Amino acid sequence: MAKLVVISEPLAGFAFELGESWTTIGRADSNMFQLVETSVSSRHCEVKVRGDELLVRDLNSTNGTFVAGMRVTEGAVKIGQVFRVGNMDVRFELTLSSIPKISVIGGSTQAPRSVMPLPPKPVAAVVTDDSPPKYQVLFVDDSMAFLESFPKLCHELSAGQWQIHTAATADCALSILHEHSINLAVLDIGMPMLDGIQLLGIIHRRYPHMKIAILTALASDSNRATCMANGAEVFLEKPVSNADIRLAFRMLDDVLQWTQRKGFSGALQHISLPDVIQLECLNRNSLILEVRNSQAHGQIFIEAGEITHAAVGSNTGEPAFRRLLQLTGGEFQVKPFKEPLQRTIEGRWEFLLMDAARASDEQTSLANKQAETPKPPPPPETRGHALPDEIVVVATYDGEWHETEKK
């Protein structure tokens, strides 16, 4: 096997044994080979053994990666040669177990004879779903280590329902988008030449109906705001632990599921209307949400993730929006977006949902108080017409009628 050995102070002698896959090098603890030194970027470069040489790829580092004294984006070093990561010199070496043993026979050296490899152990068959994949997913990242691992895990977690495409550069990503009907593009931000934010803008303009997610190690409030404003559906930090990987997969899979739900409908008894509105607004969708039951029929207009109009009966604007959200029975249906005749709502959807929930709680509380208030007893029932206060007897009956004397 091969290894990397740091030869610069203060980390001289620090070594790492290389495997067959890509190895990330950087200051952050998420790297396979962590170099805690100020000149090393949090995600600096990655390397992979290929035959008797080591491929070296810079990951858009601040202080650069150098091979033979020259700053490189990609390069290669031979066994025994040195490359520089920031201010740290690292040598590519073979471990002792990798050096072939030399035997001495009759005073001469002779390499050991080759040995026939043992047959591989049988591997248990893996049962897979033979149905064709439902979704085409493109991962764009300049890290080969990431493209080698995370997309493969997503394919396994999806039970084969994701067909994975990968690209390490923007031009390769655009070529794949031209050749395939991609449902979801997952982009990194920190890439050379054309970064992920620029690529996001290009993809969103060329393919406005495509879902785009950001998965990056450069998670900041400013980056998130910029990406969401330019068409990203979700902004996620790159996962490190197994739990984070599963969470990231579930978030991306949920975006895909909602991609396929255009025109869906549902019953208000089974699905919360505020939840539907919240998810559509978070995904920055444009649609008309039609809501109806036996007493009301209305519409809620959502444009690019903002609620712009609501109407039910003669009511419009926020009163109509609150009335529709108070319905507990009936059904709803999502229809393609078209411009409303007027815009009656200006507030942010988060505040609108909060106000509607508050109004619903107040109405429920008032109804409960009215139910608890004792009602006055009903008046006694009377049969026929009510009798006047003064009664005048004009005749009696004992089998025969007898008139009374007039006074």
Side-chain angles (χ1 to χ4, degrees):
M1 296 297 292
K3 65 179 180 179
L4 301 177
V5 180
V6 181
I7 59 177
S8 298
E9 297 293 344
L11 301 177
F14 190 44
F16 179 83
E17 188 165 312
L18 298 168
E20 297 180 355
S21 59
W22 286 91
T23 298
T24 55
I25 302 175
R27 192 177 65 252
D29 57 8
S30 57
N31 293 281
M32 301 176 187
F33 188 23
Q34 184 182 13
L35 298 180
V36 184
E37 204 274 337
T38 56
S39 67
V40 179
S41 296
S42 59
R43 192 181 70 117
H44 198 105
C45 66
E46 59 187 357
V47 298
K48 183 177 183 179
V49 178
R50 185 179 65 183
D52 63 346
E53 65 181 7
L54 183 73
L55 300 181
V56 182
R57 299 183 73 251
D58 184 72
L59 295 178
N60 203 25
S61 64
T62 301
N63 295 316
T65 303
F66 297 82
V67 173
M70 297 185 64
R71 186 166 183 167
V72 298
T73 300
E74 294 187 7
V77 296
K78 298 291 186 180
I79 296 173
Q81 292 183 338
V82 173
F83 65 99
R84 174 167 287 191
V85 179
N87 294 333
M88 295 286 100
D89 288 330
V90 182
R91 185 166 54 231
F92 174 46
E93 298 181 358
L94 287 180
T95 59
L96 292 177
S97 60
S98 302
I99 302 175
K101 295 182 179 180
I102 305 297
S103 60
V104 179
I105 302 178
S108 62
T109 60
Q110 181 176 338
R113 298 177 182 178
S114 61
V115 180
M116 182 69 69
L118 295 174
K121 295 180 179 180
V123 180
V126 179
V127 179
T128 59
D129 187 357
D130 294 333
S131 60
K134 290 183 178 180
Y135 308 112
Q136 305 281 326
V137 182
L138 169 63
F139 288 90
V140 186
D141 200 297
D142 64 330
S143 171
M144 298 302 296
F146 174 81
L147 294 179
E148 203 174 60
S149 58
F150 184 73
K152 185 183 298 183
L153 292 173
C154 287
H155 177 76
E156 294 175 358
L157 290 172
S158 74
Q161 294 303 295
W162 289 20
Q163 182 171 341
I164 304 296
H165 306 266
T166 60
T169 60
D171 59 333
C172 181
L174 293 174
S175 177
I176 293 174
L177 289 171
H178 179 71
E179 296 173 1
H180 301 274
S181 297
I182 301 298
N183 301 112
L184 172 66
V186 184
L187 312 180
D188 182 28
I189 289 180
M191 298 191 298
M193 298 297 289
L194 188 71
D195 64 32
I197 295 178
Q198 293 172 303
L199 182 59
L200 166 65
I202 293 173
I203 295 175
H204 187 61
R205 287 192 296 271
R206 292 188 183 181
Y207 308 94
H209 300 296
M210 182 184 301
K211 296 291 184 180
I212 307 174
I214 300 297
L215 191 62
T216 181
L218 304 176
S220 66
D221 291 339
S222 60
N223 281 337
R224 182 185 186 280
T226 302
C227 290
M228 299 302 287
N230 282 276
E233 307 294 341
V234 292
F235 184 95
L236 304 174
E237 190 169 0
K238 278 188 175 179
V240 177
S241 66
N242 289 334
D244 290 341
I245 289 173
R246 292 183 178 275
L247 177 59
F249 167 78
R250 287 199 300 269
M251 293 292 292
L252 296 175
D253 191 57
D254 190 63
V255 172
L256 278 172
Q257 296 289 338
W258 278 90
T259 301
Q260 302 298 317
R261 293 180 188 171
K262 297 299 182 183
F264 75 94
S265 61
L268 294 178
Q269 293 91 337
H270 303 143
I271 302 176
S272 168
L273 193 57
D275 287 346
V276 175
I277 294 173
Q278 180 178 358
L279 190 53
E280 296 292 351
C281 290
L282 284 172
N283 287 339
R284 301 178 63 83
N285 290 336
S286 297
L287 53 97
I288 299 174
L289 193 60
E290 189 170 280
V291 185
R292 69 171 72 216
N293 66 5
S294 58
Q295 290 82 32
H297 176 202
Q299 294 178 321
I300 299 172
F301 288 72
I302 301 176
E303 182 177 0
E306 296 296 334
I307 301 169
T308 60
H309 178 61
V312 54
S314 59
N315 294 330
T316 59
E318 294 186 20
F321 180 77
R322 287 193 293 269
R323 182 182 175 191
L324 290 173
L325 261 65
Q326 288 171 1
L327 298 179
T328 57
E331 62 182 11
F332 65 90
Q333 185 175 14
V334 171
K335 294 189 173 182
F337 178 77
K338 63 179 180 180
E339 285 284 345
L341 297 178
Q342 58 180 335
R343 289 173 173 261
T344 58
I345 297 178
E346 299 292 339
R348 292 182 59 84
W349 64 266
E350 298 97 328
F351 300 130
L352 292 170
L353 288 179
M354 290 174 61
D355 289 341
R358 190 180 299 113
S360 178
D361 290 342
E362 291 174 355
Q363 185 177 12
T364 302
S365 177
L366 179 60
N368 292 337
K369 288 182 179 179
Q370 292 176 346
E372 294 171 358
T373 303
K375 297 180 180 179
E381 293 184 358
T382 58
R383 295 181 181 178
H385 298 286
L387 298 176
D389 294 336
E390 295 183 0
I391 302 174
V392 179
V393 180
V394 295
T396 60
Y397 181 77
D398 59 359
E400 293 183 359
W401 283 102
H402 303 281
E403 291 185 5
T404 58
E405 296 182 357
K406 294 181 180 180
K407 294 182 179 180

